[in-house]
Amino acid sequence: MAKGDDALRRKKNKVNRKRLRNSESSVSARVAAIIAAKCRRKAGKRRICEGMCFSLPTADDPYNERHEKKSMGKNRKSKKQKFNRKDNGQGDSNSTLDNDKKLQEKAGCSPDTEKTLMKNPVEKTECDGENGGFENGCVSKFLMLCLKAVEDAWVQEGTLNKDMVGALLSSSWGAEFCGICSSGSSVVETSGSPAAGDQVAWLVSTAADIVARKEKQGIIVASPFLLFIVPSQDRAIEVRTVCKPLKALGIHTVSLHSGTSLDHQVHGLKNCEPEFLVSTPERLLELVSLKAVDISGTSLLVVDGLRKFVDSGLLDNLKSIRGSIFGDPQIIAFGGSHGEMPVVTELLQHLIRGPVYRLSAHESVASTSTFVSQYIHFYASEEEKLSEVLQILAQTLSKQTAQSPEILLISGSASKISPLASYLNSKGYAVCGDSHTRGLHKTNGEKSGSVMVKDLDNLLDFPMDKFEIVMIVDFPSSIKDYNAILTKIARHTLVGVLHSLFSTVDAPLAESLIEVLEQCGQVVPPFLKSL
C-alpha cells in the first residue's frame, strides 16, 4: 500500500531535522528539544516514556516496552542500511554544503544577503562569535532565522508589504548594531526617538542569538536575560508583538504592565522563566519588591524612549532598576538627543559603567554629534591663537582624572605643525613624532596625557572615534570638513568636546557655522553673529 503524502512529508522533515541537528550551525540543545517536542505533538507521535501516560502497563509488559518496539528496530535497521548505501555512493560528499543551503533557504536568505549584511563591518573584539551576531566573520544563521520569523509574522499580519520582504535582513543599521553588541559595548541610539520596529527586531534577534550560543556552550543563562524597559502599556504590547514569533524558536517573552492585575502577573511569573521581559518601570519595581521576579542576573538592559522617561519623571525608577542588577550588564538606550543633553547624560553615566558606542539611524549632523559640546574661540592674531591653544590644552590636562583623556590637535597643514610644536616646546611641552603625527609630553619626561597632533590633509582615513577632546587649530576652508570632524569624533564616550579657533579670515563660513550650532542645540557666541 502506497504511503500517503502526510507520511512522506513527515519522514522528509524528520531527515532534515536530523541533518540540521548534526550540522555545526545547529541551534542549542534546549531550542532543539523544544522544536522536536512541538513537532512530535503535531505529528501525533510520542516517545516510549511518553506513551506510558496514555496506556496502562500490564503484568506481561509492566514498563510498556513492547509499545512500538518492533517498529523502532525496523527504523534503526533501515537507517543503518541507508547510511551504508550513502557511504558506498557520493551522497555524503557535499553534506555540509547541503546543510548550509537548506538552513539559508529556511531563513529565506542567500549568500548575497549575508554579504549585504556585512556591507558596513565594524570593529569587533575577542568576544565575537561567542556573545552572538557573527560566526566566522559572517552573520549568524540563527540570527537570520530569527529575523526571518519576525518578518514572516509581519507579512501574515499585513503590517509589511510583500514587496518589502528582505528589507529587514539587509538593514545596514542592524548589521552595525549587531557587530557593536557582539563586541560587548553598550549602545546609545541618538536619533532622538524610541526604537522603531526594525530596530526592535534586530535587538531581540541578536539577544536570542546570544542566548542560543551560550546554551550551546553549556553556559547557564539567568532569567531574564533581556530586560526591556518601556514607558507605557501600549509600548509594552508593541514590543511583545515583535518578540512573539521567537517563541517557536525557544525564546519566551513576558510583558508586565498595569493593564493586568498584579496577582495574576505574580502567579504567572512563578510558573515560567522567560528569557525576555518587557515591562514598565513602576510595575517592575512592584514585582521586584514582592520578590516575584529576580532581575539581578540580567545581562542586557534596554531603555526605550529616554525623552518620555524624562518627561514622566521616571529617572529615579530607572536608577532603582539599575541598582537591582548585579555586575555590569550591557545597556541599550534609545531616544537620546541633543535637546536634553545634561539630564540624559547624567542618567546614562549612572546606567553605563563599561565601554559605550554612539549609534544613529539618521545621518543628520545633529543626531550623529549628540553628546559632543562645541566651543568656538575667536582670535585676532597668530600669537593670540597659539596662546589660546596653550590655555585650552592646559585647562584640559589639569582636569584629567585617573584615566587620561585622548586629545587630538588638528592643524591646517603639515607645514603648520612645526611652528605649533616649537611654541608648545617653549612653554614646557615636547612634541615628538613624524611629520604628520606628533605626540605631546612634558619636557621632564612625564607624560601629560594622550595628545596627538595631526594635519587636516591627512585626516581622510584617520580614526577619530576614540578621541574625547578635539581642537581644530586652523578652521577648515569648508563647513563640510567641519561637519565630518564633528560627526566622527568621540563615538566611544558621552562627554565629547570640540574646540574650534575662528578668525575674521573664516568669516565667510560664519553663517553656515551658526546654522550647525543651532541645529545641534549649542550656544552661539556673540562674536560669530557680528562677523
Side-chain angles (χ1 to χ4, degrees):
M1 183 180 218
K3 292 186 178 180
D5 294 339
D6 293 341
L8 293 175
R9 190 181 300 109
R10 288 197 299 269
K11 184 176 181 181
K12 183 178 179 180
N13 292 339
K14 184 176 181 181
V15 174
N16 290 338
R17 288 196 302 271
K18 182 178 179 181
R19 290 178 179 175
L20 289 175
R21 285 196 298 269
N22 294 334
S23 65
E24 295 180 356
S25 58
S26 61
V27 297
S28 64
R30 177 180 175 278
V31 175
I34 295 175
I35 296 175
K38 183 176 181 181
C39 293
R40 287 196 300 271
R41 288 195 301 271
K42 287 186 175 182
K45 295 182 178 180
R46 286 180 169 82
R47 295 174 178 171
I48 296 178
C49 59
E50 293 174 330
M52 294 179 64
C53 301
F54 303 95
S55 59
L56 295 175
T58 62
D60 297 332
D61 187 15
Y63 300 104
N64 277 1
E65 291 179 343
R66 296 180 183 177
H67 185 64
E68 293 185 3
K69 190 77 172 181
K70 296 181 180 180
S71 60
M72 286 185 60
K74 292 181 179 179
N75 290 337
R76 290 177 181 175
K77 184 176 180 181
S78 61
K79 289 179 182 178
K80 186 175 181 180
Q81 292 175 352
K82 291 180 181 179
F83 180 78
N84 292 334
R85 288 197 297 267
K86 182 184 288 187
D87 290 341
N88 295 332
Q90 298 178 355
D92 193 43
S93 58
N94 297 323
S95 60
T96 304
L97 181 60
D98 293 340
N99 290 335
D100 292 340
K101 289 182 179 179
K102 289 179 179 179
L103 191 53
Q104 288 174 354
E105 292 175 359
K106 187 176 181 181
C109 305
S110 62
D112 296 335
T113 305
E114 288 193 32
K115 294 179 181 179
T116 305
L117 291 171
M118 296 302 298
K119 183 177 181 180
N120 298 320
V122 297
E123 181 180 356
K124 303 188 288 295
T125 63
E126 296 178 356
C127 298
D128 294 347
E130 296 180 3
N131 288 345
F134 290 93
E135 181 181 3
N136 299 325
C138 300
V139 176
S140 168
K141 293 181 175 62
F142 183 72
L143 173 60
M144 291 192 293
L145 192 64
C146 295
L147 292 171
K148 182 60 176 174
V150 175
E151 193 175 60
D152 290 343
W154 288 348
V155 172
Q156 293 178 359
E157 294 171 1
T159 57
L160 181 66
N161 192 342
K162 293 183 179 181
D163 297 335
M164 297 297 294
V165 173
L168 180 62
L169 296 171
S170 58
S171 170
S172 58
W173 182 94
E176 186 176 3
F177 169 80
C178 182
I180 298 170
C181 190
S182 298
S183 69
S185 298
S186 298
V187 179
V188 177
E189 224 290 339
T190 59
S191 299
S193 58
D198 58 336
Q199 293 175 329
V200 175
W202 270 94
L203 194 158
V204 298
S205 298
T206 302
D209 184 69
I210 295 174
V211 172
R213 287 174 180 271
K214 287 183 178 293
E215 291 185 343
K216 187 176 180 180
Q217 296 170 1
I219 301 175
I220 299 177
V221 179
S223 175
F225 175 82
L226 166 65
L227 179 57
F228 206 115
I229 305 298
V230 293
S232 63
Q233 173 184 344
D234 294 338
R235 183 57 178 167
I237 296 174
E238 292 177 3
V239 176
R240 171 68 178 85
T241 303
V242 178
C243 300
K244 189 175 181 180
L246 301 180
K247 186 176 181 180
L249 300 175
I251 303 298
H252 186 48
T253 306
V254 170
S255 177
L256 304 174
H257 47 76
S258 57
T260 308
S261 65
L262 188 63
D263 294 337
H264 177 73
Q265 292 178 349
V266 171
H267 177 72
L269 289 171
K270 290 181 180 179
N271 298 328
C272 68
E273 294 183 357
E275 285 79 13
F276 296 170
L277 199 62
V278 183
S279 176
T280 56
E282 306 97 328
R283 178 51 58 93
L284 179 63
L285 290 176
E286 286 183 275
L287 294 169
V288 170
S289 63
L290 295 174
K291 297 183 178 180
V293 61
D294 182 14
I295 62 173
S296 60
T298 301
S299 300
L300 191 60
L301 174 63
V302 180
V303 181
D304 185 33
L306 289 172
R307 180 179 298 176
K308 292 186 177 180
F309 286 113
V310 172
D311 296 339
S312 304
L314 298 175
L315 299 184
D316 292 336
N317 292 351
L318 294 178
K319 294 179 180 179
S320 299
I321 293 173
R322 176 63 182 88
S324 302
I325 302 175
F326 298 155
D328 295 326
Q330 279 185 275
I331 308 295
I332 312 296
F334 290 89
S337 65
H338 58 276
E340 55 283 327
M341 187 185 301
V343 179
V344 172
T345 302
E346 181 184 357
L347 172 64
L348 291 175
Q349 287 177 337
H350 179 83
L351 297 177
I352 302 174
R353 302 171 188 175
V356 62
Y357 190 92
R358 292 189 292 110
L359 181 64
S360 176
H362 300 158
E363 297 298 331
S364 64
V365 176
S367 297
T368 52
S369 64
T370 302
F371 302 109
V372 177
S373 302
Q374 305 174 53
Y375 299 98
I376 311 299
H377 308 271
F378 180 78
Y379 69 93
S381 62
E382 195 69 19
E383 292 77 11
E384 188 177 347
K385 179 181 73 171
L386 295 176
S387 177
E388 189 73 22
V389 171
L390 183 64
Q391 183 179 356
I392 297 172
L393 189 61
Q395 291 177 353
T396 303
L397 294 176
S398 63
K399 296 178 183 180
Q400 66 178 348
T401 57
Q403 184 177 1
S404 301
E406 296 187 3
I407 306 173
L408 175 64
L409 271 62
I410 301 177
S411 178
S413 61
S415 60
K416 294 184 178 182
I417 292 182
S418 297
L420 178 61
S422 301
Y423 177 78
L424 294 175
N425 188 40
S426 64
K427 298 300 181 179
Y429 295 94
V431 180
C432 57
D434 56 30
S435 59
H436 303 299
T437 304
R438 305 294 181 100
L440 187 63
H441 302 265
K442 290 182 179 179
T443 54
N444 59 5
E446 181 183 354
K447 189 174 182 180
S448 60
S450 178
V451 183
M452 182 174 293
V453 184
K454 192 80 175 177
D455 62 278
L456 189 61
D457 298 333
N458 291 278
L459 284 179
L460 182 60
D461 298 327
F462 183 72
M464 296 183 289
D465 55 345
K466 294 184 179 180
F467 287 95
E468 303 176 10
I469 303 171
V470 177
M471 188 190 312
I472 302 178
V473 180
D474 300 298
F475 202 84
S477 58
S478 172
I479 197 65
K480 293 182 179 180
D481 295 335
Y482 175 82
N483 291 339
I485 297 173
L486 174 63
T487 55
K488 290 181 180 179
I489 65 172
R491 305 296 296 179
H492 298 275
T493 182
L494 300 174
V495 287
V497 179
L498 175 61
H499 295 278
S500 301
L501 278 73
F502 204 87
S503 68
T504 55
V505 179
D506 308 312
L509 299 176
E511 184 177 353
S512 300
L513 182 58
I514 291 174
E515 184 179 353
V516 172
L517 293 174
E518 290 177 347
Q519 289 178 358
C520 299
Q522 302 290 319
V523 177
V524 180
F527 77 85
L528 202 59
K529 297 180 180 180
S530 62
L531 291 177

